[in-house]
Amino acid sequence: MAGDGVRQGAATPAVEASERTVQRLVARFGPEVEPLPTPFDVPVVKVRPGALREVAALLKEAGYAMLLDVGGVDYLGRRPPEERFEVVYHLLDVRGLRRIRLRVPVPEDRPEVPTLSDLWPSASWAEREVFDLFGIRFTGHPDLRRILMPDDWEGHPLRKDFPLRGSRQAGTPQALRQRFFPLRLDGPPGDAAPGSGGDAPAGRPGAGGEGGA
């Protein structure tokens, strides 16, 4: 608790400075930027996707030189559906200790926002992660591909309508065994196919190709 008191007292000028930044954004971009209530000492603003790059560029020019994080959120069932998803950006002014959080609504039927990876290179991998897990595309990204899931994975596992146990077919022991240790259809049960990487020693029928059995 004592630590909280010190943090709040020291942060007040920075918070006030961040709030002035929000006022500047509202004056400049009008309805494209909407301040949101928050219980935290970091101002939060909703930014329409069409204004994101201009807002981000202005903030960087104003001293928010560090992009701390990029995250995705799925508000399945939210109305209107144009705001089902959100991409959230956390920015920090290292010198002035100002912070600001941008929340960008993303429509369900066209989940895409412009990339910020050219403004902050640290956005590159974070945007790939959001794309991988939520299926939100970042237009203009130079290398938008999966970063956590296998390339042939179907779907985006952090969407709330993704099956809790994933694809049943892909997750069954039989499917996993066949994927990583394909079996010879013309051989005895458990015998790995030639060149599949199975570790059954030659001349040992039935030794199995299940990872060292």
Side-chain angles (χ1 to χ4, degrees), residues 18-28:
S18 296
E19 290 174 347
R20 288 195 294 273
T21 300
V22 173
Q23 294 170 2
R24 287 180 56 198
L25 292 176
V26 172
R28 170 77 177 275

Side-chain angles (χ1 to χ4, degrees), residues 6-211:
V6 172
R7 179 178 58 78
Q8 291 174 2
T12 297
V15 172
E16 291 177 348
S18 296
E19 290 174 347
R20 288 195 294 273
T21 300
V22 173
Q23 294 170 2
R24 287 180 56 198
L25 292 176
V26 172
R28 170 77 177 275
F29 295 97
E32 297 298 303
V33 173
E34 176 186 350
L36 298 176
T38 173
F40 305 108
D41 58 0
V42 177
V44 181
V45 294
K46 178 191 289 187
V47 180
R48 297 295 173 189
L52 175 61
R53 282 193 57 84
E54 283 189 72
V55 169
L58 186 149
L59 289 172
K60 185 173 184 182
E61 185 179 341
Y64 292 84
M66 180 177 290
L67 175 65
L68 295 174
D69 195 15
V70 182
V73 188
D74 181 1
Y75 293 103
L76 179 65
R78 174 192 264 183
R79 292 293 179 268
E82 288 76 17
E83 298 190 3
R84 169 179 170 175
F85 300 105
E86 277 189 3
V87 179
V88 184
Y89 304 84
H90 299 258
L91 301 176
L92 171 65
D93 170 9
V94 178
R95 293 186 175 181
L97 299 181
R98 295 175 298 165
R99 293 173 180 265
I100 192 168
R101 182 179 303 156
L102 309 181
R103 294 174 54 175
V104 180
V106 181
E108 181 177 89
D109 61 346
R110 191 178 179 183
E112 63 181 37
V113 294
T115 183
L116 299 184
S117 59
D118 55 330
L119 295 173
W120 291 281
S122 60
S124 180
W125 284 17
E127 290 180 348
R128 284 179 58 189
E129 183 175 340
V130 173
F131 162 70
D132 191 359
L133 301 181
F134 291 92
I136 298 173
R137 302 188 64 83
F138 293 84
T139 57
H141 192 289
D143 186 26
L144 192 63
R145 55 189 170 90
R146 291 190 184 275
I147 191 171
L148 296 176
M149 307 304 292
D151 290 338
D152 59 350
W153 188 268
E154 295 183 5
H156 305 282
L158 285 191
R159 286 192 173 191
K160 288 185 176 177
D161 51 3
F162 189 83
L164 289 178
R165 295 186 177 182
S167 168
R168 288 182 179 276
Q169 182 176 3
T172 60
Q174 294 83 358
L176 292 173
R177 188 182 303 118
Q178 179 63 26
R179 177 178 179 184
F180 292 106
F181 302 100
L183 303 182
R184 290 178 54 180
L185 298 179
D186 59 344
D191 204 4
S196 66
D199 54 0
R204 289 184 54 195
E210 301 181 24

